[in-house]
Amino acid sequence: MADNNNNNHNSITSPLLTSDHLILTVDSDTNSVSTTDTCPISNPFIALGCKDGGELTIPAAITVDPFDNYKAGIEGLYEWVKTIVCLPIALIRLVIFGLCLAIGYVATKLALYGWKDKENPMPKWRCRIMWVTRISARFILFSFGYHWIKRKGRPAPRDVAPIIVSNHVSYIEPIFYFYELFPTIVASESHDSIPFVGTIIRAMQVIYVNRFSQSSRKQAVREIKRRASCDRFPRVLLFPEGTTTNGRNLISFQLGAFIPGYPIQPIIVRYPHVHFDQSWGNVSLGQLMFRMFTQFHNFFEVEYLPVIPPLDDKETAVHFRKRASHAIATALNTVQTGHSYGDIMLHMKAQEAKQENPSRYMVEMAKVESLYHISSLEAVDFLDKFLAMNPDSSGCVQYRDFVSVLRLKACPLSEKMFSFIDVEKCGKITFRQFLYGSAHVMKQPGFHQACEAAFAECGGAVKGYIVEEELRDFILSAIPSWNEDEVHDLFVLFDVDKDGRIYKDEFLSCLRRNPLIVAIFIPQPQQHKESYGNGVLEIL
């Protein structure tokens, strides 16, 4: 009889409530919430128009670090002995380097003297003077230990391939290409201010670009196309990765070289080594130069690949880029990751914060930008917010720190927000989850409309701003469990200029920087029945 009762789902010992009834025990002293029965926590952002339930999916993190230089330090008895033996040689090389740089600088200043027309190609007589600088560049390579350079293939004529692209491993390639091809290069605006080198770069009729300005990038593409179409200009050289890597992997390519639609010749560089990795990566320039000076010889290989023409006028730049990157990756026998310069920025931010392993904060920014249109600067802001949550040694953040930094109250709604990005349901979140979750919320079709509506409902529609009392009335009417001090903390988060008023720009900007807290201002699908006298909170 007892066995029959145990097997009967309708017995008196079976729960009378179905599994969609959740009973939470609330500790009034700590505001923590613990579940006594479990059920899936609903998506608090469903009202924004999430499709298929809006559940967050995060691509698996890649374990490859394409920027890591793992052999830059002096390790082992052989390397120490070699370094000591080469110290006198290093001093001689340093003198040669300085002398050649000075000669090249003087020759470049002479070639540029009186030349004001930067829109047209450099006159031939000035280019002939630049040969002095180019020869000096070869001696600079010699001073760094590149006594001979192995070449495979030949550069295509300029009229066949007006654009060349190359993988980027060290500062050595620009020096080599300057000597070998004297091309026009596309470089960051910051390069212009480098002592001595900035002047030489200007002589290459550089196309400057601000990687964080869309208008600057568009202007650079127009200039690439203009110069590639004119035979009087040198060929155009681009490093489509936009930064240096360790040479063992490729990272995502920018589109600038492929939008003009001209034939491209890919070039690959290799730095064969045993003891000393010559890639720039995450190594300081001074350390890298010292290690190069104290080597007997550094190996450098250049391979010119076959020219890749566009298939037709209808081929997209994205497809053209894919073919070129595949050709380079195949020749290097490596893989291409979704990293970009944005990951370098994230790594540097984590390093400044003295995180134990800064590499874990890289998220393959090219993929994030493609999926969610989040810029690198926005991603760095999200990392800044995440680091304020005091991540542990494994790079994870606890719930209590999550709600504290976002100025939230520990309540069922905050639990839902945390659980939404805690896709592994382990009670901790990583920066990757925090970034993807925040970006996912911003991408929802109703996010901007919800932000506008929230500002209006808080009283901003009439006056154009919100005061603290209006925000308090709205929050307490929607979530009665909050108190005035908690609402004040939230108000301070919005009131950036501390004038006691939240204007519309401040309100919308804050929600974009902290998109997860939009859940406070949107209707939730569940109805809450709160009971505080007996310490039990029931959610139906």
Side-chain angles (χ1 to χ4, degrees):
M1 185 70 177
D3 292 339
N4 291 337
N5 285 338
N6 288 336
N7 295 329
N8 187 353
H9 294 293
N10 297 322
S11 69
I12 193 66
T13 60
S14 301
L16 297 178
L17 296 175
T18 59
S19 61
D20 61 350
H21 187 106
L22 177 65
I23 300 177
L24 305 176
T25 302
V26 180
D27 185 344
S28 60
D29 294 331
T30 62
N31 289 329
S32 63
V33 183
S34 61
T35 62
T36 59
D37 191 7
T38 58
C39 74
I41 300 181
S42 64
N43 180 357
F45 308 101
I46 198 73
L48 297 180
C50 304
K51 297 180 180 178
D52 301 325
E55 296 302 322
L56 179 63
T57 57
I58 300 177
I62 189 170
T63 58
V64 172
D65 182 354
F67 310 106
D68 181 37
N69 181 318
Y70 66 102
K71 285 187 178 181
I74 305 174
E75 298 179 358
L77 179 62
Y78 171 76
E79 280 298 296
W80 276 106
V81 170
K82 182 175 64 175
T83 300
I84 294 172
V85 169
C86 287
L87 282 177
I89 300 176
L91 292 176
I92 297 174
R93 288 175 170 177
L94 182 60
V95 171
I96 295 174
F97 167 75
L99 183 61
C100 292
L101 183 61
I103 293 173
Y105 174 75
V106 171
T108 303
K109 291 290 286 186
L110 180 61
L112 293 177
Y113 182 77
W115 186 45
K116 304 296 183 182
D117 183 12
K118 301 298 190 298
E119 295 297 320
N120 293 309
M122 179 181 285
K124 289 185 178 181
W125 69 270
R126 295 183 184 272
C127 291
R128 293 191 183 99
I129 296 176
M130 287 302 300
W131 263 107
V132 176
T133 310
R134 295 173 66 178
I135 297 300
S136 298
R138 182 61 187 93
F139 277 97
I140 288 175
L141 291 176
F142 186 89
S143 71
F144 282 123
Y146 299 97
H147 306 129
W148 63 85
I149 297 172
K150 183 179 178 181
R151 296 171 176 81
K152 182 178 180 181
R154 296 173 61 87
R158 192 248 181 255
D159 58 345
V160 174
I163 298 176
I164 53 178
V165 297
S166 171
N167 62 317
H168 199 6
V169 180
S170 184
Y171 61 84
I172 295 300
E173 302 103 61
I175 301 175
F176 169 78
Y177 290 133
F178 174 75
Y179 160 71
E180 179 96 338
L181 301 173
F182 192 50
T184 290
I185 64 170
V186 179
S188 171
E189 292 177 343
S190 60
H191 287 68
D192 188 67
S193 59
I194 301 176
F196 300 104
V197 176
T199 300
I200 298 175
I201 288 177
R202 286 195 293 275
M204 299 175 71
Q205 303 171 81
V206 64
I207 300 172
Y208 288 117
V209 60
N210 181 350
R211 67 174 85 236
F212 303 117
S213 169
Q214 186 175 3
S215 60
S216 176
R217 294 198 301 268
K218 288 182 177 179
Q219 175 60 32
V221 170
R222 287 193 292 267
E223 191 63 17
I224 292 170
K225 186 173 183 178
R226 185 179 77 89
R227 299 195 186 188
S229 64
C230 178
D231 290 338
R232 294 185 298 130
F233 275 106
R235 69 192 81 203
V236 182
L237 166 66
L238 296 100
F239 298 105
E241 292 171 290
T243 188
T244 55
T245 69
N246 56 23
R248 298 188 297 277
N249 301 101
L250 284 180
I251 62 174
S252 62
F253 280 14
Q254 303 298 312
L255 283 172
F258 310 97
I259 293 176
Y262 286 94
I264 287 174
Q265 182 175 32
I267 308 175
I268 60 173
V269 296
R270 302 183 185 91
Y271 294 83
H273 65 274
V274 176
H275 301 285
F276 165 49
D277 182 359
Q278 301 154 61
S279 65
W280 201 342
N282 53 2
V283 183
S284 68
L285 178 60
Q287 180 184 0
L288 194 61
M289 291 178 66
F290 175 78
R291 293 286 282 134
M292 287 182 176
F293 283 145
T294 54
Q295 299 294 307
F296 293 123
H297 174 74
N298 290 309
F299 292 89
F300 180 41
E301 298 178 357
V302 181
E303 181 177 355
Y304 296 92
L305 300 180
V307 174
I308 303 177
L311 294 178
D312 51 46
D313 293 338
K314 296 182 180 180
E315 184 183 28
T316 64
V318 173
H319 188 262
F320 195 8
R321 175 182 64 181
K322 183 178 180 180
R323 291 196 297 124
S325 62
H326 178 73
I328 293 178
T330 302
L332 287 172
N333 192 26
T334 187
V335 297
Q336 187 173 31
T337 71
H339 293 87
S340 71
Y341 182 76
D343 290 284
I344 293 285
M345 298 172 62
L346 295 173
H347 185 282
M348 292 173 61
K349 186 71 175 180
Q351 198 170 39
E352 290 173 4
K354 295 180 170 50
Q355 293 301 302
E356 189 171 320
N357 185 3
S359 297
R360 67 164 53 99
Y361 294 95
M362 296 191 296
V363 295
E364 294 188 276
M365 268 307 301
K367 288 185 178 179
V368 177
E369 290 177 2
S370 175
L371 287 171
Y372 298 113
H373 306 292
I374 296 293
S375 70
S376 298
L377 292 176
E378 288 177 308
V380 171
D381 288 339
F382 279 118
L383 178 57
D384 194 44
K385 181 77 64 176
F386 185 82
L387 293 174
M389 298 177 187
N390 191 29
D392 58 25
S393 58
S394 64
C396 296
V397 162
Q398 303 276 355
Y399 169 70
R400 62 178 179 273
D401 297 311
F402 170 82
V403 296
S404 174
V405 170
L406 293 185
R407 314 291 176 89
L408 299 172
K409 174 185 173 64
C411 64
L413 180 58
S414 300
E415 283 266 330
K416 291 182 187 179
M417 295 161 62
F418 186 82
S419 181
F420 172 73
I421 55 179
D422 179 18
V423 294
E424 296 179 358
K425 309 305 176 189
C426 62
K428 297 179 180 180
I429 59 171
T430 64
F431 172 65
R432 187 181 184 86
Q433 293 169 339
F434 179 70
L435 177 63
Y436 270 86
S438 301
H440 177 84
V441 171
M442 284 198 294
K443 189 183 179 182
Q444 299 310 312
F447 176 75
H448 182 72
Q449 183 179 355
C451 295
E452 296 270 358
F455 181 77
E457 291 177 11
C458 288
V462 178
K463 305 184 302 298
Y465 62 85
I466 301 170
V467 296
E468 185 169 349
E469 291 77 9
E470 293 170 327
L471 181 66
R472 182 186 63 222
D473 292 343
F474 177 88
I475 296 293
L476 295 184
S477 64
I479 316 175
S481 60
W482 282 50
N483 59 46
E484 291 189 8
D485 290 338
E486 291 160 345
V487 175
H488 174 74
D489 289 341
L490 186 64
F491 182 85
V492 171
L493 181 68
F494 281 94
D495 186 19
V496 178
D497 57 7
K498 312 302 180 187
D499 63 350
R501 297 177 176 181
I502 305 173
Y503 290 92
K504 187 174 183 179
D505 288 344
E506 287 180 305
F507 190 83
L508 298 181
S509 177
C510 182
L511 286 179
R512 184 164 179 84
R513 293 193 308 271
N514 307 275
L516 297 174
I517 64 177
V518 76
I520 299 173
F521 302 97
I522 59 178
Q524 296 299 315
Q526 291 184 333
Q527 296 178 344
H528 301 269
K529 179 181 179 181
E530 304 183 6
S531 175
Y532 300 102
N534 57 7
V536 174
L537 173 66
E538 293 183 346
I539 298 180
L540 301 178

